[in-house]
Amino acid sequence: MSKVEDFLTSSEEREVVEAIRIAEKNTSGEIRVHIEKETSIAPIERAVEVFHQLKMDTTQERNGVIIYIAAKSKQFAIYGDKGINDKVANDFWNSTKDIMLHHFKNGENKLALVKGIESAGEQLKKHFPYQHGDIDELSNEISKGE
Ligand code: CA
Ligand code: CA
């Protein structure tokens, strides 16, 4: 299970994208998932790099969130943009990370992502409630690296 394309089946991938779509119905925040094989730096540092590469720092309210996965080692990180970090404590994502870790340990990759997205969506909703006329600023599709 080390390859990016083995991390989720295509139907599981669709479920993850759907989870993002549903989560974003409750918040103006934008959630993206990026999966790549491995990273040579700390997952959180890599998450920040990818966040900028994907231009996730271009949202109006600076409220994009990336869930970063290194498939081979099953390392992951969650990083939220400035708009979120200005409002919340550093340990804001801990409950989301705990939920994800629990499922990854059980080999439940899809569930880890879906539950992580649901949790992130709940957190975002508190600070960035959905507003009428909200735009889907960042694609809900999973981003994949090498
Ligand atoms: Ca939006
Ligand atoms: Ca989106």
Side-chain angles (χ1 to χ4, degrees):
M1 288 299 249
S2 63
K3 286 197 198 138
V4 171
E5 50 275 24
D6 293 338
F7 197 75
L8 298 170
T9 66
S10 51
S11 71
E12 286 174 337
E13 182 171 332
R14 283 195 294 276
E15 287 183 61
V16 171
V17 173
E18 179 66 6
I20 294 172
R21 193 181 69 79
I22 291 167
E24 289 185 1
K25 282 187 162 186
N26 291 314
T27 175
S28 63
E30 294 283 332
I31 301 169
R32 279 207 85 171
V33 174
H34 178 84
I35 305 173
E36 62 186 9
K37 188 177 173 191
E38 55 195 339
T39 176
S40 58
I41 57 175
I44 186 64
E45 288 175 34
R46 181 61 187 145
V48 174
E49 275 185 6
V50 174
F51 187 90
H52 292 289
Q53 280 168 11
L54 294 175
K55 301 199 182 337
M56 291 183 64
D57 51 2
T58 59
T59 60
Q60 181 100 36
E61 295 191 79
R62 298 295 300 268
N63 57 2
V65 175
I66 188 167
I67 299 178
Y68 168 82
I69 310 280
K72 194 174 174 185
S73 55
K74 286 202 179 179
Q75 289 174 290
F76 71 99
I78 305 172
Y79 173 76
D81 204 354
K82 190 174 176 301
I84 299 162
N85 286 335
D86 284 351
K87 291 195 177 187
V88 300
N90 285 336
D91 59 358
F92 183 62
W93 299 116
N94 280 0
S95 58
T96 301
K97 282 191 255 183
D98 288 346
I99 291 165
M100 292 182 66
L101 189 61
H102 170 76
H103 291 292
F104 277 137
K105 279 184 174 168
N106 289 339
E108 299 163 330
N109 292 349
K110 186 229 22 184
L111 204 55
L113 281 168
V114 168
K115 293 291 179 187
I117 290 159
E118 286 174 0
S119 171
E122 285 297 311
Q123 305 274 46
L124 283 171
K125 188 169 86 173
K126 294 175 198 161
H127 300 279
F128 299 97
Y130 181 87
Q131 289 167 345
H132 184 70
D134 181 78
I135 297 164
D136 186 20
E137 294 174 281
L138 301 173
S139 168
N140 302 336
E141 296 297 318
I142 293 176
S143 163
K144 293 176 191 168
E146 295 297 307

